[in-house]
Amino acid sequence: MTVNQIVSESGTSKGGFYHHFQSKDELLYVIHDYFISYVLTKAKEADSSSKKPTEKLQKIIQSFVKVFHLYKPHISVFYQESMYLKPEYTEEIKKKRDSYKNLIFKCLEEGREAGEFRPEVPVDITGMTILGMVNWTYKWYQPGGEKTIDEIGSIFVDLILNSLLTDSAKQKKEYQKFFLKSGLAEDKL
Amino acid sequence: MTVNQIVSESGTSKGGFYHHFQSKDELLYVIHDYFISYVLTKAKEADSSSKKPTEKLQKIIQSFVKVFHLYKPHISVFYQESMYLKPEYTEEIKKKRDSYKNLIFKCLEEGREAGEFRPEVPVDITGMTILGMVNWTYKWYQPGGEKTIDEIGSIFVDLILNSLLTDSAKQKKEYQKFFLKSGLAEDKL
DNA sequence: TGGGACAGACCAACCAGTCGGTCTCTGCCT
DNA sequence: AGGCAGAGACCGACTGGTTGGTCTGTCCCA
């Protein structure tokens, strides 16, 4: 996407564009900030809303998935254009992405220490797994598709918790709501 | 990466480059073919090597992860530059990536029908989850890092099978080797 | 009347791709 | 054997088009 395309499709002009942004890179930075702020806020809320790592993780994942619904255009543009960002901006962006990553890692570590998450699965790989599976949704998620974003989020939560929780934690009544129902009614896949 | 950089860093010339490739896009296509051929071959081998979906899935994931070790430079270049590929090449590439995706989906479907995989988790989302978590490794995997690629593969397999297998399938003796040991020896994370 | 919001012609840099030319190896004719 | 022709490998100056960014100027409101 060139600056000329941007200004023509948004109905302004080169002059107007560079009146508001120092450079094309700054626009990309602003776009990134738009959605990273959302997930960071939501993750911090989740972190302070409860003391149970399992609950926190569920909330983090659900809001993480939701961002791909709310800001799909922003995210697509970011991943398409971010390769050629100038170092000054990449650094700032990396900081925010790192602090998000660390929130997830911290939550996984807490769950492990609380004895709810299986101790034999390493926190770092699990963290990158979550980031990978959720971030990848920008490649295939279609708003208005057969599954809503909340349904997709619930499936992700089910998958992650089923592989993370210890057998005893899985039995807890208050966590049953995080698992997909395996009722008689077959899923209409 | 410009053509000028490519030829200077590889010690040839513009003329030499365009003698071997029709265009810069063709080079990218060749690079992609290099590693997609590997995973496709391995996945087909896995598919015909056994009748048990669980075993097949384990082999597919393990070889899928391994490609990021064997061809990391190829894969990084591909994801960095593939945005601006001309349609003719994107189509060809998409075909191969789709056939890989379909192998995974088929395997998941078979496991579901065989009663080994939980029927309540949808095949399509699970498939995209696997593709996402594995494909994302190109962003963080470092050859020579603290975990080998086979260890990472085993962790992925453990996570996926733990969330996919039914309780009864998890008990099967021949599948125990796919799970991380939860021995007394604490993981040195 | 002066300053912020915007317009759009313009520019320098850069890029993929071209094209005329050189160098070298091979095989064939004498 | 020696020379020669021609094909393929490779070179790099050049080009046409595109890009991010600038600059002069206009409009409008306080």
Side-chain angles (χ1 to χ4, degrees):
Chain A
M1 183 73 85
T2 68
V3 175
N4 278 319
Q5 283 174 270
I6 292 168
V7 300
S8 91
E9 287 184 33
S10 61
T12 58
S13 64
K14 270 288 187 55
F17 180 88
Y18 281 99
H19 181 72
H20 290 288
F21 302 102
Q22 288 191 15
S23 63
K24 196 192 168 190
D25 281 5
E26 192 185 276
L27 169 63
L28 237 197
Y29 175 79
V30 169
I31 287 173
H32 179 262
D33 238 50
Y34 215 74
F35 65 85
I36 199 77
S37 298
Y38 174 84
V39 282
L40 257 177
T41 307
K42 288 289 176 182
K44 281 175 189 163
E45 276 174 27
D47 187 46
S48 55
S49 75
S50 164
K51 286 201 169 180
K52 293 185 181 173
T54 302
E55 266 182 31
K56 282 158 58 166
L57 189 62
Q58 184 266 342
K59 284 183 184 169
I60 289 176
I61 292 175
Q62 205 84 38
S63 64
F64 189 8
V65 174
K66 197 156 201 165
V67 81
F68 291 89
H69 179 78
L70 297 170
Y71 300 109
K72 201 198 172 198
H74 302 72
I75 295 168
S76 299
V77 165
F78 174 73
Y79 280 120
Q80 225 162 83
E81 313 277 338
S82 64
M83 311 296 177
Y84 307 99
L85 262 175
K86 298 216 163 49
E88 5 163 0
Y89 289 106
T90 14
E91 267 179 49
E92 284 305 306
I93 285 173
K94 190 173 182 305
K95 274 183 200 164
K96 302 210 176 180
R97 295 180 82 83
D98 276 351
S99 72
Y100 188 68
K101 195 181 79 181
N102 288 336
L103 270 170
I104 291 178
F105 275 41
K106 191 185 128 224
C107 184
L108 292 172
E109 191 58 61
E110 286 172 7
R112 199 175 141 127
E113 279 169 18
E116 291 197 320
F117 296 169
R118 293 163 59 214
E120 69 267 24
V121 304
V123 166
D124 52 359
I125 307 287
T126 314
M128 296 320 288
T129 297
I130 294 172
L131 286 169
M133 64 189 272
V134 182
N135 274 325
W136 202 254
T137 52
Y138 93 93
K139 292 234 178 202
W140 55 269
Y141 171 66
Q142 292 295 348
E146 71 171 302
K147 293 197 181 59
T148 68
I149 200 70
D150 287 333
E151 283 166 357
I152 293 170
S154 300
I155 296 165
F156 280 166
V157 168
D158 176 284
L159 294 175
I160 287 293
L161 291 187
N162 259 294
S163 50
L164 267 192
L165 290 181
T166 61
D167 285 338
S168 65
K170 270 186 209 171
Q171 303 307 320
K172 290 193 183 175
K173 261 190 191 151
E174 67 262 40
Y175 292 165
Q176 295 312 307
K177 61 175 180 288
F178 298 147
F179 301 125
L180 297 172
K181 279 167 290 196
S182 56
L184 297 174
E186 188 75 19
D187 205 346
K188 58 167 177 359
L189 162 76
Chain B
M1 184 73 83
T2 68
V3 174
N4 277 318
Q5 283 175 269
I6 292 167
V7 299
S8 91
E9 288 185 32
S10 62
T12 58
S13 65
K14 270 279 185 65
F17 180 87
Y18 282 98
H19 181 73
H20 289 289
F21 302 103
Q22 287 191 17
S23 63
K24 196 191 168 189
D25 281 4
E26 192 186 275
L27 170 63
L28 237 197
Y29 175 78
V30 169
I31 286 173
H32 179 263
D33 238 52
Y34 216 75
F35 66 85
I36 199 76
S37 298
Y38 174 85
V39 283
L40 257 177
T41 306
K42 289 289 178 181
K44 281 175 188 163
E45 276 175 26
D47 188 46
S48 55
S49 75
S50 165
K51 287 203 170 179
K52 295 185 179 173
T54 302
E55 266 182 30
K56 281 158 58 167
L57 189 62
Q58 183 266 341
K59 284 184 183 169
I60 289 176
I61 292 175
Q62 205 84 38
S63 64
F64 189 9
V65 175
K66 196 156 204 168
V67 81
F68 291 88
H69 178 77
L70 296 171
Y71 300 109
K72 201 196 173 199
H74 301 73
I75 295 168
S76 299
V77 165
F78 174 73
Y79 279 119
Q80 223 162 86
E81 312 278 337
S82 63
M83 311 295 178
Y84 307 98
L85 262 175
K86 297 213 164 51
E88 5 163 358
Y89 288 105
T90 12
E91 269 179 49
E92 285 303 307
I93 285 173
K94 190 173 181 306
K95 274 184 201 165
K96 300 209 177 180
R97 295 180 83 84
D98 275 353
S99 70
Y100 188 69
K101 195 180 81 180
N102 289 336
L103 270 170
I104 291 178
F105 276 40
K106 191 185 128 223
C107 184
L108 293 172
E109 192 58 62
E110 285 172 8
R112 199 174 141 126
E113 280 170 17
E116 292 197 321
F117 297 168
R118 292 163 61 214
E120 68 268 25
V121 304
V123 167
D124 51 359
I125 307 287
T126 314
M128 296 319 288
T129 297
I130 294 172
L131 286 169
M133 64 189 271
V134 182
N135 275 324
W136 202 256
T137 51
Y138 93 93
K139 292 233 180 203
W140 55 269
Y141 171 65
Q142 292 293 348
E146 73 171 302
K147 291 196 183 61
T148 68
I149 200 70
D150 287 334
E151 283 166 358
I152 294 169
S154 299
I155 296 165
F156 281 166
V157 168
D158 175 284
L159 293 176
I160 288 293
L161 292 187
N162 260 294
S163 50
L164 268 192
L165 289 181
T166 61
D167 286 338
S168 64
K170 270 187 209 171
Q171 303 307 319
K172 291 195 183 174
K173 262 190 191 151
E174 68 261 41
Y175 292 165
Q176 296 311 309
K177 62 175 180 288
F178 298 147
F179 301 125
L180 297 172
K181 278 165 290 192
S182 55
L184 297 174
E186 189 76 17
D187 206 347
K188 61 170 177 354
L189 165 72

